[in-house]
Each structure stands twice: as C-alpha cells, then as structure tokens.
Amino acid sequence: MSVLSKLASVEQAIHNADTYEEYYEASLEHDALSGANEWKAEDKASEYDYKLIRKRVDRLKFAKAHGDPAGLMSVLHEGIHGNLGNIANPEMNHNAKIGTKYLIQEFLDQVCDALRIIYHADENEVDFYEKLSFFEETYHSFGQSCLMLSGGAGLGFFHCGVIKSLVDHDLMPNVISGASAGSIITAMVGTRTDAELHHEISAENIYEKFRKWCIWKGFGKGSLLDSTNLENALIEMFGTTTFEEAYKKTGRKITITVSPADLHQYPRLLNAKTSPNAIITMAVRASTAIPMFFTPVQLKAKNAKGEIHPYIPNRKFCDGSIMADMPFERLARLYGVNHSICSQTNPVAVPFLSRSKKHSKGILSTTKRHAFNLAKMNSIYAFDILENLVGNSSLKLGIHKVRSVVEQQYVGDINIIPQRSLDNVRKVFANPTVEDIAELIKNAEKATWPQLDLIRRNTQISKTFRKYLKLLKKREEQLLSGQHGLRLVKAG
C-alpha cells in the first residue's frame, strides 16, 4: 500500500474515531506517515524565533545543573510570557496532528520543572515570602487562558460536550464566561465540582431540565415565548447561590454577561469580583432573555443577612450575547487573561467562522480579509448614522443592538465550532429530544479532540503557576493563623 493510501486510511480512522484514545493513536500514526515527526524534530522554522527559545532552554538547564533556584527565578523574570519567541503562532498548528516542535515542548517542560524547583527550594536560600512574591508577580505577568461559551439558544447544549472533554482531560481553564445559552453551562461549571459536572452535563439530565424551554406564548403578550419552564429549571439548578458563594465552592472565576434593555447603558460582566452578591439564577435568566422572545429581567442580590433585594434597581437586562458574546478584553483586565478558548454556537456567527485561527496568505485571501473588515467598518458607520437620525427611542435601541451584534469579535485563539448542517437551524428554537442533546454533546467532544493537545500546551505553564501559587497561599494562611494564635497566647 502506498503512503498516500495509508494516509487516506488513517484520515478515515481519525474521522470515525469514537473515543479520544482512538483519535489520538490514529493522529500519531498520521504524523509518522506524513513527515510531521521530522518537522517536529528540526528546531529551525521561520514561524518562530527558534534561536531565542534554544537559548532560554540552555540557560534554564545551566541554572538547574548548578542547583541555582535564584538563577532560575532570574531567567523566568526576564520576560516569560505566553508567546515568547512567537511559539504560539497559529501557523505552527497546521504541520502536525499531535504535538509541535520538540524544542517548543522542551521549553514548556523546562519552565514547568523550573517552577517546581523554585517552589521546593531550600528556604535558607529562597525564603517563603520571596517565593510567594515571585509566583504572584510572574504568574500575573505571564497571564492565563479563559474559556468563553457563546449564545446559541437550543444549540447551546453543544457546550456540554466541550466542558465534558475539557474536564475529562483536566484542561478546564479557571476563568470561564458565558452569554445567553452559554451562561447556563457557565453557571453549571461554576457551581459544580468536576465530579458533579459529569452528571449535570449528561444528555439525560439536560433533557429533564430543558425539554420544554421553548413554549410559544403568542404575539401582543410582552414576549413570544413563555419563560416559566426556563425560570423553574434555573431556580432548581442554582437557587439563590451568589457569585461569591460559587467561587468559594469551586474556585472557578465565572462571568455571566448581560446586555442593557435600554439606551445609554453598557453590557455588564457579573462575577465574584464585580458583583459578588448578585444571584446567579437571575444573572443567567437575564443573559438568556433573547429580545422579543423573552422579557427583560431585573437582577437580584443577597445582602449580609441573606435577604434578597433588587440589584441595580430601575434597570432591566437581556441577552448577553447581543453586546458581549465573547468579552475577551474585559476578562483580560479583570483576570489577566491573554489567551482564549471559544466554544462558539451563535447562529449569527457560526456560518462565517473558520475552525482554525490562520493568517491569510496570498494576494486574494489578504484582499478578501481586508474587504470583509472594510465592509464591517462601513456597516458600523451606517448604523451610527441611522441611530443619530432616528428619534424613536425603541427604534434607536433596536439599531444600537444590531450595531453591537455586527461590531463584536466572535472568535478567539482556539475555536470549537459545531459542524454546519441544516438540522442545527431546527435546533436553535426547538424543544430538544434526548437524542438531539446526546448528538450535540458527542459532536462537541469530537470537535474538541483536535484542540486538546494545543490547549494542553497553551495552558501548561499557567496551570503549573496556579498549582504552586495555590499551595503557597495555603501555607501563608497557615502561617498567619499561627502568628495570630501566638499573639493571643502572649496577650493572655
């Protein structure tokens, strides 16, 4: 059998894989046949600064060989970041099914091993608070990844498969945002442990909760759909849990986005930092309030006595995906995020998106990209003119929201997108069957598999930082509580 025939056979095996293990083994075989392994073994490539990376690897090895944790700290302090030497260049992701340049992987492994050595360093050489300061400052400058779950109405159940795959492979980012349908899954992730999530995101459980979320109410009744079943499901799932309470339980930094139901307001990101006492149930209900289909919602919060009261009185909010489907820039400011993973099911965006973030090459593709950007800018300009000319406040609000939909960025660094099909159109506004949900979850898992190795590499260092910083913070609490106890003894 020729190499081309073998490659075709392996590609079919990749396509038909029922488990990630099957996908992974077939992908490794593909890399062996296609010549990708030879590409991985050669340091040199025009897409990244291989000389800089080799020099950093050698310096880390030198400091380790001489038992010099302070030297390791110096090397890492010099400017380690997620795209050092352009190692995160998306063009590097298309040469192999699994893995990347061995030099890049060696660099990632050396950095993580250096962090381990620094954490365990003798505290006569590197004292505890020096370690803590190093991990806090360097982790902050390095940044971390976020997961953003888009809107998508009935297609939003696709996110469950993405979450399942990430949890199964211990790759769930610590920062997660959700808009509209994505807000439901984000809230589940933020209020459940990994063990609890396996049950919560099963097709059977999702079906029981949302089998009748879409109930026609009719015209002239405030909204086209009855929200009773949706509200009851959200209350059952999240109760009166606040963002702060959820964070204390899981340690996950979840954000729910909501859009204003009136002019002269901006979209809000609700989370444990910006709105710790806001109730998750009402935040999700607001974020899922698709204009015309569901009525806008007033947010609620819990005071120190546990009493529920209005949050941001006299304001109502609606579908978060209208103005903040993928709020990367604001997450970056809040949590030091510098890399994004997007599960994108928004029917406004999916038909036009590529599954890979790849730079345009050639005159024709570059021209198309610039023509698209120009058309987008002209559309925004036209909406701005219309909004200024229109006097009716309701029409002005409608134009403003359409402008927001056009203006947004709907992709991230890694994009997980459903396969395009006419059947997905039906699922947007339809009560699902168990089979529909199971199919979306399975398709989402398979769509996530090609990204898992890339996600692992892009989160390897930040995950290691987070692990050791968490341990140091725990030790700091113990030290402070011990000192407090000693002061009490002395005072007595």
Side-chain angles (χ1 to χ4, degrees), residues 371-381 406-409:
F372 176 82
N373 289 336
L374 186 61
K376 182 175 179 178
M377 290 174 62
N378 286 338
S379 297
I380 293 168
Y381 170 73
V406 173
E407 185 181 27
Q408 290 187 65
Q409 176 75 10

Side-chain angles (χ1 to χ4, degrees), residues 11-73:
E11 285 169 1
Q12 192 64 35
I14 291 172
H15 178 75
N16 294 333
D18 285 325
T19 66
Y20 179 68
E21 289 69 29
E22 290 178 8
Y23 170 87
Y24 184 82
E25 290 301 321
S27 296
L28 287 179
E29 188 177 352
H30 191 282
D31 284 352
L33 288 168
S34 68
N37 287 347
E38 288 76 10
W39 174 83
K40 296 176 194 176
E42 185 181 2
D43 290 356
K44 188 176 180 180
S46 61
E47 292 88 356
Y48 79 117
D49 190 342
Y50 63 93
K51 292 179 181 178
L52 171 64
I53 301 303
R54 172 53 66 191
K55 187 179 291 186
R56 285 297 170 94
V57 167
D58 290 343
R59 289 183 65 191
L60 288 169
K61 285 182 174 179
F62 182 84
K64 285 166 64 177
H66 288 77
D68 183 11
L72 289 173
M73 291 168 68

Side-chain angles (χ1 to χ4, degrees), residues 30 59-60 74 80 92 107 109 128 135 197-198 300 311 315 373-374 379 413 454:
H30 191 282
R59 289 183 65 191
L60 288 169
S74 177
I80 181 175
M92 300 282 286
F107 170 71
D109 293 341
F128 170 78
F135 274 93
L197 271 176
H198 278 284
K300 298 289 179 65
Y311 184 72
R315 295 290 181 191
N373 289 336
L374 186 61
S379 297
D413 297 294
L454 178 57

Side-chain angles (χ1 to χ4, degrees), residues 246-289:
Y247 175 71
K248 286 179 179 178
K249 177 181 177 180
T250 67
R252 292 189 174 114
K253 300 169 182 177
I254 63 165
T255 291
I256 304 297
T257 67
V258 295
S259 301
D262 52 6
L263 282 168
H264 313 303
Q265 291 290 312
Y266 294 95
R268 290 182 179 264
L269 271 60
L270 305 171
N271 52 53
K273 271 194 171 185
T274 63
S275 45
N277 299 319
I279 293 172
I280 289 175
T281 294
M282 298 311 297
V284 174
R285 174 63 187 88
S287 192
T288 56

Side-chain angles (χ1 to χ4, degrees), residues 22 51 85 187 363 394 477:
E22 290 178 8
K51 292 179 181 178
I363 295 174
S394 296
E477 288 179 11

Side-chain angles (χ1 to χ4, degrees), residues 54 56-62 64 72 76 103-117 460-461:
R54 172 53 66 191
R56 285 297 170 94
V57 167
D58 290 343
R59 289 183 65 191
L60 288 169
K61 285 182 174 179
F62 182 84
K64 285 166 64 177
L72 289 173
L76 296 181
L103 174 60
I104 293 175
Q105 187 58 59
E106 184 182 12
F107 170 71
L108 299 176
D109 293 341
Q110 287 291 336
V111 169
C112 291
D113 195 46
L115 294 176
R116 178 189 63 82
I117 290 170
Q460 183 177 344
I461 293 176

Side-chain angles (χ1 to χ4, degrees), residues 26-296:
S27 296
L28 287 179
E29 188 177 352
H30 191 282
D31 284 352
L33 288 168
S34 68
N37 287 347
E38 288 76 10
W39 174 83
K40 296 176 194 176
E42 185 181 2
D43 290 356
K44 188 176 180 180
S46 61
E47 292 88 356
Y48 79 117
D49 190 342
Y50 63 93
K51 292 179 181 178
L52 171 64
I53 301 303
R54 172 53 66 191
K55 187 179 291 186
R56 285 297 170 94
V57 167
D58 290 343
R59 289 183 65 191
L60 288 169
K61 285 182 174 179
F62 182 84
K64 285 166 64 177
H66 288 77
D68 183 11
L72 289 173
M73 291 168 68
S74 177
V75 174
L76 296 181
H77 255 316
E78 278 186 7
I80 181 175
H81 56 82
N83 196 22
L84 181 69
N86 209 23
I87 61 174
N89 184 346
E91 293 298 321
M92 300 282 286
N93 304 326
H94 307 287
N95 296 288
K97 295 288 185 184
I98 298 291
T100 185
K101 292 284 188 182
Y102 295 147
L103 174 60
I104 293 175
Q105 187 58 59
E106 184 182 12
F107 170 71
L108 299 176
D109 293 341
Q110 287 291 336
V111 169
C112 291
D113 195 46
L115 294 176
R116 178 189 63 82
I117 290 170
I118 294 166
Y119 173 77
H120 289 289
D122 188 328
E123 292 185 359
N124 290 317
E125 295 182 49
V126 183
D127 71 42
F128 170 78
Y129 283 103
E130 192 177 353
K131 288 181 187 179
L132 180 61
S133 176
F134 165 79
F135 274 93
E136 284 180 331
E137 292 172 6
T138 316
Y139 180 38
H140 179 75
S141 71
F142 181 80
Q144 60 182 319
S145 296
C146 68
L147 172 66
M148 298 186 289
L149 308 180
S150 76
L155 277 182
F157 302 125
F158 177 89
H159 299 315
C160 294
V162 176
I163 297 299
K164 183 178 184 300
S165 195
L166 293 175
V167 170
D168 285 347
H169 294 88
D170 193 26
L171 291 173
M172 175 66 69
N174 204 42
V175 177
I176 308 107
S177 77
S180 198
S183 71
I184 299 173
I185 312 304
T186 297
M188 291 170 68
V189 171
T191 56
R192 269 70 173 172
T193 62
D194 285 357
E196 292 169 336
L197 271 176
H198 278 284
H199 168 70
E200 290 292 323
I201 60 177
S202 68
E204 293 75 18
N205 185 63
I206 294 294
Y207 172 73
E208 282 302 314
K209 298 287 195 301
F210 299 103
R211 60 183 174 178
K212 292 184 178 180
W213 74 272
C214 188
I215 301 175
W216 180 257
K217 188 160 68 171
F219 295 101
K221 297 183 179 180
S223 64
L224 297 176
L225 299 180
D226 186 338
S227 64
T228 303
N229 284 356
L230 176 61
E231 289 174 353
N232 288 340
L234 297 178
I235 291 168
E236 181 185 344
M237 293 170 71
F238 310 121
T240 59
T241 303
T242 65
F243 283 94
E244 185 175 49
E245 290 166 347
Y247 175 71
K248 286 179 179 178
K249 177 181 177 180
T250 67
R252 292 189 174 114
K253 300 169 182 177
I254 63 165
T255 291
I256 304 297
T257 67
V258 295
S259 301
D262 52 6
L263 282 168
H264 313 303
Q265 291 290 312
Y266 294 95
R268 290 182 179 264
L269 271 60
L270 305 171
N271 52 53
K273 271 194 171 185
T274 63
S275 45
N277 299 319
I279 293 172
I280 289 175
T281 294
M282 298 311 297
V284 174
R285 174 63 187 88
S287 192
T288 56
I290 307 167
M292 295 190 298
F293 291 93
F294 291 121
T295 54

